[in-house]
Amino acid sequence: MHSFSEPYTRHGDDISLDAVRADIHALQASYHNASIPLSGRVLHVCHYLPVTATLNTRAGVLSPPPTPPAVPADAPSKPNSIWTIAPRYGHAAMISGIQSLAATHEQLIIGWTGDILSPTPNDHISSDAVDSNDRAALDEALHAYQPKESDPDDDRKITYVPVWLDDKVGHGHYDGYCKQTLWPLFHYLLWQDVATEYASADAHYPYYESANAAFARKIAEIYQPGDLIWVHDYHLLLVPRLVREAIPDVVLGLFVHTPFPSSEIFRCLPRRKEILDGMLGANLICFQTYSYSRHFTSTCVRVCGYETNSRGIGVEGHVTAVMHCPVGVDAERVGRDIKRPGIQPKLEALRTLYEGKKIIVGRDKLDVVKGVLQKLRAFEKLLRDYPEWIGNVVMIQVTSPAMSDSPKLERAVSELVARINGEYGHQSLKKDEFYALLSVADLAVITPLRDGMNTTSMEFVIAQNHTDEDKIKEEEGGKKREGGKNSPLVLSEFMGISKNMEEALLVNPWNLGDVAAAINRGLLMSSEEKARRQAKLYKVVTTHTSHTWGALLVKMLLGQVDGKGQARMTPYIPKEMLIGEYEKAGRGQGKRFFLLDYDGTLAPIVKTPSMAVPSASTLEALERLSADPKNIVYIISGRDGAFLEQHLGHLRNVGFSAEHGGFVRERGSVEWVNFTENLDMSWMAEVAEIFRYYTERTAGSHIEVKKSSITWHYRGSDPEWGLFQCRHCQDLLENNLANKRPIEVLVGKKNLEVRPLAVNKGEIVKRILYKNPDAEFIFCAGDDKTDEDMFRSLLLFPNGTTEVTMPAPMSVTLVEGNAPPPVKLSIRPEAVFTTAVGHSSKRTLAGWHVTAPQEVVDHLLELVGGPQEGFKSSL
């Protein structure tokens, strides 16, 4: 489906604020009834605190204006003897959404202090000069601070938690890596496209890393069990993983306010894996639009090779859900502000100044991606293609400082403005002047080349609904209804909110003729069409508000609280307990089993399979363990017999199983037993034909044929196309072949394997156990999906039972041709150590885990007294 036709909100989110809050209440009640703790707190982690801090007791040093700029507060806090707190300019929609949650939850905002200001204008104080007493005083001042603006919601209490950063780290993080690398990248620009000198995408990364670590430490410091955490935007993409490492069961969401680029753009980032892995520490990642979430998922698949399913993106057993939820504006506050008394005189002044002319308005930052230059060129083309507008239309384009410096762009804009003689102001307007401009305008043109959320377009819709000019009066059942001016809106289709504002005139900002035609159409639009479009736009803007957005964030994160889709944390294998049970079994007459996978368990995974040779320590562990007659050691691998013979065949006291249980070489023997001899293997020709069909149509894929199984590999293919083909092939095999033949279809890591039902690692484990019922100790280790068959076969004690009788497994009856009687096993539950190799959150049936193959080898050596210096293998 084309990205421009995707839904603006998820199904079920297009409801009223009261309905969302009712859903939240119901979710919280259900968790309370299930004894799942909730603290009632929401921690919002933002780059900046929404306030500035002025230290009144220190002299400052001369500095440029802070970024983003602070604006004089209408009502700053009453200065105590040390600190003055005032509101910070910017991110109004996000802060409004957070503030609205104070009606239902305790709110904490964690953010950098920014530059510490001095009472002297344009001075700042180094963070190193602020001692612990002053910092404690700032905590007190922030606790006492209460915004006093026109919005009554501001009177609700929010706790501000400052994060202190060294000045070099703070500015290297924000002005360096964020502004010069990540922000351009997320807007489809590379760093060299916006830099004025030699650009390095990595130069400021250490500062980004340090700042994110400082935020994570602060979160861990104030965290309480049951807290919900929302991390906001691209400044803090490493924080989710860092916090999860410190608090494994944390419930944390990440909201990305910017666009997210396609995988082909994102893969240019040198630190792409670190950034993606940092983000995937979250339980939930939320974007402005569906298309951004799709780009992110595709990037994880294509750049990192991670697997996706209906629940999200899986990494090391942890599943991260990916959703979208658009930010809106605080429609009630904007509506109130537009009606303020100071606006009407300014509105009248604009009408008088431009009497008889159509007014076009635009407001953008002077960034490359905001499309100011293209917009002015389109206006120039309008005057050239539609000369009747010359002298009858004026464009008022308001700009504000850019995210990144671009003197070349400023020069180009200035030259173009001079040439077309448009009205152009290079300054920030006061709120009253800006709202008057929005109200009086006949058309708004907002055409960035790439943007996420744009508040100006929404404010324009609200202003047009409330203006007193050109009121429409209609008879409706004898009553008169008054409406606004209803001026239309020209929007870029490359904005995130364009999916929502479909009643605007959507244009490609690169197509100047298209933009000029849309401007002409908007200026000539009939009153009826304007009213119809305005009604729909106004409904959207006043329904999907910042308050609704904030409530939906809490609702979505509450949906992650019970850990749906999250793997349980597998404990690390206890070495003392392992050694104790091993020695205890050695004192009796029974045997001790070691059932070990090879690749990823005894040897690390390597790109070239033939290079996965056993290390000296691995050979020592196997040889010394197998030398004890009480120990029965088996390598149970997916490798073929030839590989095992070549590298491990000299170990005569070790048994081998090759091809996932298809062949077995018993201890002390040189002959391989083929478990597939008595099976119907004619199905392999049919499967091979199906695999050839998909191989021809999937570049980079290939077929691997073994004696007992056949596998289709697509690791070398395009990851998304390969996965798509794999699913189709799997569906074909399962619905047309597997139900007729004694086979099973297994989905592996970038492969699809078909094997006989009677052949798997679990059947071999059952055979070994059946043949040796006096086993009193079992250590079984593996790392992938095929090893789960072994772990499953060792789930011997259901419902707390302590004794077990095993019937003859299929791997015994196939070879012996009869039905031997069941046997009673000597093993006790506490003497079974099933061990998965990998992260503790990896989804597994194993009871324990280690993190790497070398740890398996180390534990085996510990059982035989540790490594021996100068040990030489019998090889």
Side-chain angles (χ1 to χ4, degrees):
M1 187 180 291
H2 198 282
S3 62
F4 295 134
S5 62
E6 293 296 347
Y8 181 64
T9 57
R10 298 180 309 122
H11 178 69
D13 287 350
D14 50 346
I15 54 178
S16 69
L17 178 60
D18 289 339
V20 177
R21 287 177 173 171
D23 289 346
I24 292 172
H25 181 75
L27 276 170
Q28 292 178 150
S30 68
Y31 293 142
H32 177 75
N33 294 336
S35 299
I36 297 174
L38 290 174
S39 67
R41 305 197 316 171
V42 182
L43 279 57
H44 293 274
V45 190
C46 311
H47 172 241
Y48 276 113
L49 287 175
V51 295
T52 61
T54 301
L55 182 57
N56 301 312
T57 59
R58 296 282 192 282
V61 296
L62 192 63
S63 69
T67 306
V71 295
D74 293 337
S77 65
K78 293 182 179 179
N80 58 26
S81 58
I82 300 178
W83 293 97
T84 301
I85 309 298
R88 184 186 299 276
Y89 173 78
H91 306 293
M94 180 183 74
I95 299 303
S96 169
I98 293 172
Q99 289 172 338
S100 70
L101 290 173
T104 55
H105 293 78
E106 182 183 348
Q107 300 294 298
L108 289 82
I109 299 181
I110 303 167
W112 180 37
T113 59
D115 284 330
I116 300 302
L117 306 180
S118 164
T120 306
N122 293 331
D123 282 6
H124 83 276
I125 298 167
S126 169
S127 61
D128 293 338
V130 184
D131 60 28
S132 58
N133 292 330
D134 288 339
R135 295 186 181 193
L138 177 61
D139 290 339
E140 294 177 6
L142 289 171
H143 182 73
Y145 174 70
Q146 194 114 355
K148 296 293 182 183
E149 296 185 359
S150 58
D151 188 349
D153 288 347
D154 286 340
D155 292 334
R156 294 170 179 155
K157 187 64 185 161
I158 294 177
T159 302
Y160 300 101
V161 180
V163 175
W164 290 91
L165 298 176
D166 177 82
D167 288 354
K168 192 172 183 180
V169 171
H171 287 282
H173 167 242
Y174 182 74
D175 298 312
Y177 200 72
C178 290
K179 286 174 63 174
Q180 296 180 27
T181 300
L182 289 182
W183 188 88
L185 183 82
F186 282 14
H187 290 80
Y188 286 75
L189 295 171
L190 298 184
W191 30 96
Q192 67 265 24
D193 297 330
V194 295
T196 55
E197 54 189 41
Y198 171 74
S200 167
D202 235 14
H204 297 98
Y205 183 75
Y207 299 125
Y208 188 82
E209 209 170 22
S210 298
N212 275 253
F215 274 85
R217 288 193 296 270
K218 178 58 70 173
I219 294 168
E221 179 185 319
I222 68 171
Y223 175 80
Q224 297 177 8
D227 282 349
L228 302 179
I229 301 176
W230 269 108
V231 177
H232 291 273
D233 224 3
Y234 65 98
H235 315 88
L236 304 171
L237 298 181
L238 303 180
V239 166
R241 184 183 181 95
L242 295 172
V243 172
R244 186 157 306 282
E245 289 173 351
I247 314 169
D249 58 350
V250 69
V251 179
L252 183 148
L254 169 66
F255 193 94
V256 181
H257 293 258
T258 62
F260 195 89
S262 73
S263 60
E264 292 305 302
I265 295 291
F266 191 88
R267 73 187 313 137
C268 298
L269 184 67
R271 298 287 181 166
R272 61 195 188 185
K273 190 174 188 304
E274 291 92 330
I275 296 294
L276 291 175
D277 284 346
M279 297 173 72
L280 290 169
N283 299 79
L284 167 66
I285 301 177
C286 201
F287 295 89
Q288 294 267 13
T289 72
Y290 172 80
S291 60
Y292 299 160
S293 67
R294 190 178 63 185
H295 287 164
F296 174 75
T297 301
S298 176
T299 299
C300 290
V301 171
R302 291 179 174 277
V303 174
C304 293
Y306 294 146
E307 296 183 359
T308 65
N309 54 43
S310 58
R311 293 179 289 112
I313 301 167
V315 183
E316 297 179 336
H318 173 78
V319 178
T320 300
V322 181
M323 300 181 185
H324 68 283
C325 179
V327 182
V329 294
D330 186 345
E332 291 183 7
R333 172 186 278 190
V334 174
R336 287 196 303 269
D337 287 349
I338 285 171
K339 294 178 180 178
R340 292 202 304 196
I343 290 180
Q344 192 64 28
K346 295 179 176 64
L347 190 151
E348 295 296 340
L350 285 167
R351 285 180 188 158
T352 302
L353 182 62
Y354 299 111
E355 187 174 0
K357 299 180 189 294
K358 293 285 187 179
I359 300 174
I360 301 173
V361 66
R363 180 180 71 165
D364 305 274
K365 287 183 178 178
L366 199 56
D367 279 315
V368 177
V369 300
K370 297 303 181 181
V372 176
L373 196 60
Q374 287 77 9
K375 182 193 300 187
L376 294 175
R377 286 172 177 162
F379 182 65
E380 183 181 33
K381 186 167 180 59
L382 170 79
L383 300 179
R384 186 166 59 245
D385 292 355
Y386 305 94
E388 63 272 19
W389 288 115
I390 296 175
N392 295 313
V393 65
V394 61
M395 170 175 271
I396 303 176
Q397 172 64 39
V398 181
T399 66
S400 54
M403 285 288 291
S404 55
D405 296 331
S406 184
K408 182 179 178 181
L409 175 64
E410 290 186 23
R411 185 169 62 253
V413 168
S414 299
E415 291 172 355
L416 185 54
V417 167
R419 188 167 81 242
I420 64 178
N421 198 26
E423 291 290 332
Y424 180 77
H426 187 93
Q427 73 281 332
S428 297
L429 295 184
K430 291 182 178 179
K431 185 182 287 187
D432 285 0
E433 295 169 335
F434 175 61
Y435 282 150
L437 186 58
L438 292 185
S439 300
V440 79
D442 296 285
L443 183 72
V445 180
I446 303 168
T447 52
L449 309 181
R450 187 70 58 177
D451 206 357
M453 184 237 184
N454 183 288
T455 59
T456 301
S457 58
M458 299 182 184
E459 291 168 329
F460 176 77
V461 170
I462 296 172
Q464 287 297 311
N465 210 70
H466 286 81
T467 184
D468 292 329
E469 186 185 46
D470 296 338
K471 288 186 177 179
I472 302 167
K473 297 184 178 181
E474 298 175 343
E475 294 292 334
E476 292 184 348
K479 295 182 179 179
K480 291 184 177 181
R481 182 179 67 84
E482 295 186 350
K485 187 175 180 182
N486 301 331
S487 296
L489 179 63
V490 176
L491 278 187
S492 165
E493 64 186 30
F494 297 120
M495 299 167 65
I497 62 167
S498 66
K499 315 295 185 300
N500 186 32
M501 314 281 276
E502 292 181 345
E503 292 302 319
L505 301 174
L506 300 181
V507 296
N508 175 357
W510 295 100
N511 186 337
L512 303 184
D514 187 21
V515 178
I519 293 173
N520 182 64
R521 179 185 172 189
L523 293 174
L524 297 175
M525 188 177 291
S526 67
S527 297
E528 292 76 14
E529 184 179 356
K530 287 195 289 187
R532 176 181 59 77
R533 289 175 177 269
Q534 168 68 15
K536 292 182 179 179
L537 288 171
Y538 185 74
K539 181 180 179 181
V540 168
V541 170
T542 54
T543 300
H544 302 297
T545 66
S546 59
H547 292 194
T548 310
W549 167 78
L552 284 170
L553 292 192
V554 172
K555 175 185 170 183
M556 288 190 291
L557 201 51
L558 279 170
Q560 305 293 320
V561 166
D562 60 352
K564 292 178 181 176
Q566 305 303 314
R568 69 180 177 89
M569 303 299 287
T570 307
Y572 194 83
I573 190 167
K575 185 180 294 185
E576 295 78 11
M577 182 178 173
L578 179 72
I579 295 173
E581 289 294 335
Y582 176 81
E583 292 176 347
K584 183 176 181 180
R587 290 192 289 268
Q589 299 300 314
K591 298 185 178 70
R592 298 176 294 206
F593 280 9
F594 295 87
L595 310 170
L596 309 168
D597 173 44
Y598 183 74
D599 289 287
T601 302
L602 292 177
I605 299 288
V606 293
K607 288 185 177 180
T608 306
S610 60
M611 300 301 292
V613 298
S615 65
S617 58
T618 300
L619 291 172
E620 178 187 353
L622 293 174
E623 192 158 341
R624 290 175 62 192
L625 277 172
S626 62
D628 189 328
K630 288 189 175 183
N631 293 341
I632 296 178
V633 182
Y634 271 85
I635 307 297
I636 303 175
S637 174
R639 294 278 190 167
D640 59 25
F643 178 91
L644 297 177
E645 287 276 9
Q646 178 185 356
H647 296 289
L648 300 166
H650 65 285
L651 301 172
R652 295 302 179 190
N653 292 324
V654 175
F656 298 97
S657 170
E659 298 190 23
H660 300 301
F663 297 84
V664 170
R665 196 193 85 171
E666 301 289 357
R667 297 184 306 146
S669 173
V670 293
E671 300 295 328
W672 288 87
V673 178
N674 182 357
F675 285 139
T676 65
E677 277 184 339
N678 297 328
L679 298 178
D680 176 12
M681 301 296 288
S682 61
W683 53 266
M684 289 190 72
E686 298 176 67
V687 174
E689 185 179 349
I690 293 172
F691 279 174
R692 279 194 295 272
Y693 174 88
Y694 281 94
T695 301
E696 291 169 1
R697 289 157 178 79
T698 312
S701 65
H702 69 275
I703 302 169
E704 179 187 14
V705 180
K706 297 179 182 177
K707 293 178 181 177
S708 64
S709 66
I710 182 168
T711 306
W712 181 65
H713 296 272
Y714 62 92
R715 184 172 295 278
S717 307
D718 177 273
E720 291 182 298
W721 176 242
L723 180 60
F724 177 82
Q725 291 287 72
C726 176
R727 287 172 176 167
H728 274 263
C729 185
Q730 178 189 1
D731 181 67
L732 179 64
L733 290 167
E734 289 178 343
N735 293 316
N736 294 279
L737 198 61
N739 56 353
K740 303 173 185 176
R741 298 294 197 125
I743 60 174
E744 61 180 337
V745 181
L746 300 175
V747 179
K749 296 176 180 177
K750 306 292 184 183
N751 65 61
L752 194 62
E753 181 181 12
V754 181
R755 68 186 185 190
L757 276 171
V759 175
N760 61 65
K761 290 185 176 183
E763 282 297 319
I764 294 303
V765 169
K766 290 178 184 177
R767 173 186 171 83
I768 297 169
L769 201 53
Y770 181 84
K771 293 287 188 179
N772 301 274
D774 57 342
E776 295 180 357
F777 172 89
I778 300 174
F779 178 83
C780 177
D783 74 304
D784 66 13
K785 292 179 181 179
T786 62
D787 298 315
E788 295 298 313
D789 290 330
M790 293 198 294
F791 302 148
R792 186 178 292 105
S793 70
L794 291 173
L795 296 174
L796 301 169
F797 303 96
N799 302 320
T801 58
T802 57
E803 294 184 356
V804 62
T805 300
M806 173 179 278
M810 191 179 299
S811 51
V812 172
T813 58
L814 275 174
V815 176
E816 300 184 5
N818 55 16
V823 297
K824 185 176 180 180
L825 304 182
S826 301
I827 192 71
R828 295 171 294 110
E830 58 270 21
V832 179
F833 294 86
T834 51
T835 307
V837 181
H839 194 272
S840 62
S841 63
K842 183 177 184 177
R843 190 175 294 275
T844 181
L845 294 172
W848 308 100
H849 94 101
V850 294
T851 55
Q854 186 57 46
E855 294 173 36
V856 176
V857 176
D858 291 343
H859 279 76
L860 295 179
L861 286 171
E862 286 288 339
L863 296 179
V864 290
Q868 289 182 356
E869 189 174 348
F871 178 86
K872 292 185 178 180
S873 172
S874 60
L875 180 63

